[in-house]
Amino acid sequence: MIGRWIVGIAFFLHASPRYRHSKKFFHNLLENPSYPYKKFFDYTMMVLIAMSVYILILHVKHDVNPQWLFFNNYVVSLIFLVEYLLRLWVYSDTSKVIIEEYEHDLFLQRPFRWVSTLRLIGVKKLEYVVSPSAIIDILAIMPFFHEMRLLRVFILFRVFKLFRYAKSLTQFLSILSSKKFELFTLAVFATVIIIVSSVLIYVMEANNPASPINTLFDALYWSVVTIFTVGYGDLVPVTTEGRTVAMAIIVAGIAVISFATSIVVSAFTEKLDEIKEDKLIEDVSKIDRFYLICGYTPLAYQIASRFKKSGKKAVILEKDSEKVAQAQKEGFLALAFDSGSLHSYHALRIDFEKQVISVILLQESDVYNIYTALTIRELSKNVSLLSILVHNENRRKLSLAGIDEIVYTQELIGLISKEVSGRPVAFEVIHALRSENNGVFMDEIGLDSVMAKRFFDTCRLPLFHKRLIVLGVYKTKEKMFFFNPPENIVIHERDVAIVIGTRALIDEFKTLLHKKGRR
């Protein structure tokens, strides 16, 4: 009867939209750092902690308004108690555990063992109760019993709750936790030094009437103060033997401090990239609307630069860490993530429907652009997808992958053909170039302001002189194409240069021009 009653309640709660919504809301409010209202909750709790400690300090030597004491001892404690109970509630899904255990017993054709199920639930809840953060929470509630004056000191434990609400403090603890073994070794070394030095100084000084070190606790206090290089000077050895011990302990103290400093510095150094990446991910999650650029290429640089100048926000995803570093150096928000992986978007917590204006696929491989498009389409059916087309035979594949707009890098050729129709250049040459059967290719290069100034200087380099042909320049502002442009022509930002050469030569030219432009 009891088991049936428990299962009935579990199924009712599990199927109740209001119950599920309430539990999800409080879980997000208490535990989900990306939840928009959590920061307001955290700030409120930090203000309550600060007020509580201030009232405690003020009450030491001054009379405090009884209303403030009531607020501190009852209201704040009650708020912390409610928070504690809510955290205990959302820590594990009790109804889900009951249903899973019931279905398991039902599958094995045996009666529902509700006692063991309740024991399992208790064990799961106990995991939270004995956790360090939960222990601090319960100690912070102790001032509720303000009649016991000693328990009022537990107000100070509310300060430790700041570690839960302040992300920087939590991050600091996680960094130190990565050096558990080193810190444990340091603690053992320091403990051994303190114990040995305490015994030695006690033996050397305790029988000397002129020495202020008369008890073992005095010796222990002196050792701790000395080894951590504080040196108050209230207790000092007076015998030659005691001073000899003091000199050895001072040297050991310097070693302990140096060891501790090196551990902390190395921990931060190792975690520095991870901290920066976490900060970037947090920044991305806060952006309302932005363009997502997949792949960092020269064309991606051009597009991102234009977005930046026009005040539009763009996020670049590139799996090559060197390219990411270059993009960040050039002032772009770039992250070292694989744009073709679902894990990347889950880690970044990107909401395509609310945040992404459009996704621009600029990888130098049609296959990878298709793979990225399929991944994004799995997450969002409505977001706009734009992609470059490297090889024209893959156009249909990109369309089938759900890409809305496809830009072929050779599409200016029609305009070029129109311009050179009255020039001494045969259409057969253009056709041969387009056929790509003879190893000669035609490519277009988007230019920024710096690359435009150095374009002809790069063309005159021995590697490209008479080997790379500048077929023409398309002036974006005038919307005109200039065939076989003279070197005195003024090239502006956003103009497009059309060059002819082998694939390797064109790639080298674009790479060198891009690098020269970034110096």
Side-chain angles (χ1 to χ4, degrees), residues 343-398:
H343 172 74
S344 300
Y345 302 108
H346 292 316
L348 292 171
R349 302 189 297 272
I350 293 178
D351 188 337
F352 282 93
E353 303 298 333
K354 295 181 179 180
Q355 290 182 285
V356 180
I357 300 172
S358 181
V359 180
I360 306 174
L361 309 178
L362 300 177
Q363 297 284 354
E364 296 177 339
S365 167
D366 287 334
V367 174
Y368 200 79
N369 285 332
I370 292 171
Y371 188 72
T372 302
L374 292 172
T375 301
I376 295 175
R377 278 290 174 244
E378 185 173 342
L379 297 170
S380 173
K381 304 296 183 184
N382 302 320
V383 67
S384 173
L385 288 181
L386 294 86
S387 176
I388 61 169
L389 176 62
V390 180
H391 300 290
N392 195 35
E393 59 268 21
N394 293 326
R395 181 184 293 272
R396 177 173 171 78
K397 296 176 183 177
L398 265 69

Side-chain angles (χ1 to χ4, degrees), residues 97-355:
V97 172
I98 293 174
I99 292 173
E100 288 178 350
E101 291 298 312
Y102 171 74
E103 291 178 345
H104 178 71
D105 290 340
L106 190 64
F107 177 77
L108 296 178
Q109 298 182 355
R110 65 188 182 191
F112 175 52
R113 299 181 299 176
W114 60 272
V115 175
S116 61
T117 301
L118 293 180
R119 189 183 299 115
L120 177 62
I121 294 172
V123 170
K124 288 183 177 293
K125 296 297 183 182
L126 188 63
E127 290 177 0
Y128 170 76
V129 173
V130 299
S131 64
S133 58
I135 292 174
I136 292 174
D137 288 342
I138 200 66
L139 291 176
I141 300 170
M142 288 296 183
F144 186 81
F145 309 97
H146 69 287
E147 289 79 5
M148 299 176 64
R149 186 172 181 83
L150 178 63
L151 293 181
R152 293 172 62 186
V153 179
F154 283 95
I155 288 177
L156 293 177
F157 279 92
R158 294 176 179 177
V159 176
F160 291 103
K161 286 173 68 66
L162 291 173
F163 285 99
R164 184 191 293 279
Y165 308 118
K167 185 177 179 180
S168 56
L169 295 177
T170 305
Q171 200 170 49
F172 177 74
L173 289 179
S174 67
I175 290 172
L176 292 183
S177 66
S178 66
K179 294 290 183 181
K180 290 180 181 178
F181 176 76
E182 292 83 349
L183 291 173
F184 176 76
T185 304
L186 174 64
V188 171
F189 175 71
T191 301
V192 171
I193 295 297
I194 289 172
I195 293 174
V196 172
S197 62
S198 299
V199 174
L200 284 175
I201 203 70
Y202 177 73
V203 171
M204 302 298 178
E205 298 286 323
N207 293 324
N208 191 323
S211 176
I213 303 175
N214 298 314
T215 65
L216 188 60
F217 180 78
D218 290 339
L220 179 64
Y221 168 77
W222 174 86
S223 296
V224 173
V225 169
T226 303
I227 198 170
F228 290 110
T229 67
V230 178
Y232 288 125
D234 52 343
L235 296 178
V236 293
V238 295
T239 65
T240 302
E241 295 83 356
R243 290 173 176 174
T244 302
V245 173
M247 289 188 291
I249 297 306
I250 291 172
V251 174
I254 295 174
V256 170
I257 298 300
S258 301
F259 190 14
T261 303
S262 64
I263 290 174
V264 175
V265 171
S266 63
F268 272 94
T269 302
E270 293 173 3
K271 293 286 185 177
L272 186 60
D273 291 338
E274 184 178 330
I275 293 173
K276 289 181 177 179
E277 186 174 281
D278 290 341
K279 181 62 171 62
L280 287 175
I281 292 175
E282 185 178 351
D283 292 341
V284 170
S285 64
K286 293 179 180 178
I287 300 176
D288 292 330
R289 300 287 285 170
F290 61 87
Y291 290 91
L292 182 63
I293 301 176
C294 300
Y296 190 66
T297 60
L299 180 57
Y301 169 80
Q302 297 288 336
I303 295 175
S305 298
R306 295 178 187 180
F307 283 148
K308 189 176 182 180
K309 289 180 181 179
S310 62
K312 298 176 182 177
K313 297 177 181 178
V315 177
I316 300 173
L317 297 186
E318 171 59 60
K319 60 182 178 180
D320 188 335
S321 57
E322 293 183 1
K323 290 184 178 181
V324 171
Q326 181 65 26
Q328 292 174 350
K329 184 179 179 181
E330 290 167 344
F332 302 128
L333 180 54
L335 297 167
F337 281 89
D338 185 357
S339 60
S341 171
L342 282 172
H343 172 74
S344 300
Y345 302 108
H346 292 316
L348 292 171
R349 302 189 297 272
I350 293 178
D351 188 337
F352 282 93
E353 303 298 333
K354 295 181 179 180
Q355 290 182 285

